[in-house]
Amino acid sequence: MSKNGKAWRNWNVAVTGMNASPESPGPGYAVARCLREDPEFNGRIIGIGYDVLDAGLYARNICDGGYLIPYPSAGKDALFERLKELHEAEDINVIIPCLDAEIQNFIALKDELEKLGIKMLIPSKEQFTMRAKDQLSKFCESVGVLAPESKTITNPSFFDDCESQGFEYPLMVKGIFYDAVLARNAFEAKAIMAKLVNSWGYPVLVQKLLCGDEFDLSAIGDGRRGMLGPVMMRKRALTEKGKAWAGVTVEEPGIAEVARKLIHGLSWSGPFEVEVMRTHDEKIYLIEINPRFPAWIYLSHAVNRNLPILLLKVLAGDEELDLAPAKTGTFFIRHAQELIVDLPAFESMLIDGGIASDVIGKHRTVSAV
Amino acid sequence: MQKQLAELMTTLNKNQRLSKLAISEKGFLFDPETGQSFTLNYSGMQTLNHLKRGESLEDTAKHLADEFKIPHDTALNSIEAFLIQLGRYI
């Protein structure tokens, strides 16, 4: 049994980020899938999304219930009110936030949610800010990790003479929360900037282009400068947005070392993803640190290092983390699939803002085994 | 060419990378450090298996010369050319 008297195996876990578009899926569905497929987990999984078309909300084989919450721009108070309603309906024990844009609101609500009995393993506001895209170069320098030279800009005229400032084309233009697009000239760069500002606001980041192989590492920071359960993969194929479409688990000591330095420097608490580029001269550059599980996290379950389950164990104060040795050579290939949604379920999501787990339960086919 | 070869052997021996390469009986090569995979022909597979066991280039060439009944120099040149080709990707 855990410290709070209830085994993590029976916890009700709410997971955000249930959008699952093929081009750039949110991590929530994969996190929920990791929980559902763990043989020891018997709790309920509540999917949380922002849009009635967030597919994971209707995935009856994965989620016991699905609910909408207000967009992050509505602020923490609106989120708290809605979470109280969901807690009343579903008796939530843990929330796993899975989207960058919402994390700050959840950080602000951590203590209030804790009072309701809802746990989260998330970073502090300071930790979150230190790894923000516009702060990353400075932080990397302080912990001895290489990062591509980058610059925060608010004025598109920068692109007219950026070459005189050492930023030659092609270069990467990045949104403050999401998206990174390659720009080959000033015309392209300005158009990309306008689009990114429209989606994510000011500022945007400009980053020198690096050539090499892309690797990602996901793990959990224990908040005491330690890194738990690292799983790393090399991207084998990318979508047009540069997201991993296929990947394979690897064991690259240099990348683990970079992640260790970062997590130690941040005293990071919670799940994270480190994206790095290994250049042809074998130098490892940090591209970014994401403050959540990645969309490819199901791969961790496939190599017996189920990180969402590990997160529950850490929250429960479970001493036996049972981490299997890192297994290399396991591939994932992402594919799109149609999820069938009947009219009453869609209506319930649209009109009531959710589908309670007891309602979904009535529709679910229950195995006799 | 000798410089390239020396650099590659240094890379392969660093962190026991050569010994960690997974080579199947069908010639599928997987590098667990980079995630890259390759297909090898029989002679390439034999070459890497000998090198993985810690044999020198000279000894590996001797084994290949015996097995394929070719002159030692031909075997050694072929091994060097193969390794340089591999070095472009690994």
Side-chain angles (χ1 to χ4, degrees), chain A residues 234 236 250-252 278 329, chain B residues 14 30 32-37:
Chain A
R234 181 191 175 186
R236 290 293 301 255
V250 295
E251 183 64 29
E252 216 285 27
R278 194 169 88 155
Chain B
K14 196 172 145 192
F30 177 72
E33 196 170 303
T34 65
Q36 286 176 300
S37 51

Side-chain angles (χ1 to χ4, degrees), chain B residues 27-70:
Chain B
F28 175 77
L29 166 65
F30 177 72
D31 181 351
E33 196 170 303
T34 65
Q36 286 176 300
S37 51
F38 307 89
T39 50
L40 303 170
N41 64 12
Y42 179 75
S43 54
M45 188 172 76
Q46 291 295 82
T47 300
L48 279 185
N49 278 328
H50 283 296
L51 292 174
K52 269 187 77 173
R53 287 196 283 268
E55 292 175 22
S56 66
L57 291 181
E58 283 288 336
D59 289 345
T60 302
K62 188 173 178 307
H63 283 295
L64 260 65
D66 289 346
E67 186 171 357
F68 293 103
K69 300 190 177 15
I70 52 173

Side-chain angles (χ1 to χ4, degrees), chain A residues 239-312:
Chain A
T239 66
E240 280 182 14
K241 278 195 165 187
K243 306 289 176 188
W245 165 41
V248 58
T249 51
V250 295
E251 183 64 29
E252 216 285 27
I255 294 169
E257 184 54 29
V258 163
R260 217 165 273 125
K261 279 183 186 173
L262 296 167
I263 294 318
H264 184 269
L266 290 164
S267 295
W268 189 260
S269 174
F272 67 91
E273 178 194 30
V274 167
E275 294 186 27
V276 300
M277 178 80 79
R278 194 169 88 155
T279 54
H280 299 310
D281 55 359
E282 298 201 11
K283 287 182 179 163
I284 297 169
Y285 288 82
L286 178 73
I287 304 300
E288 59 188 37
I289 305 173
N290 294 316
R292 44 146 178 92
F293 286 126
W296 55 269
I297 197 63
Y298 185 67
L299 191 61
S300 75
H301 174 60
V303 296
N304 300 320
R305 283 195 164 193
N306 190 323
L307 292 182
I309 288 291
L310 183 64
L311 181 145
L312 297 188

Side-chain angles (χ1 to χ4, degrees), chain A residues 55-78:
Chain A
L57 298 172
Y58 305 93
R60 291 174 182 170
N61 57 333
I62 303 291
C63 293
D64 297 284
Y67 293 91
L68 296 176
I69 56 174
Y71 276 97
S73 56
K76 72 178 178 68
D77 294 335

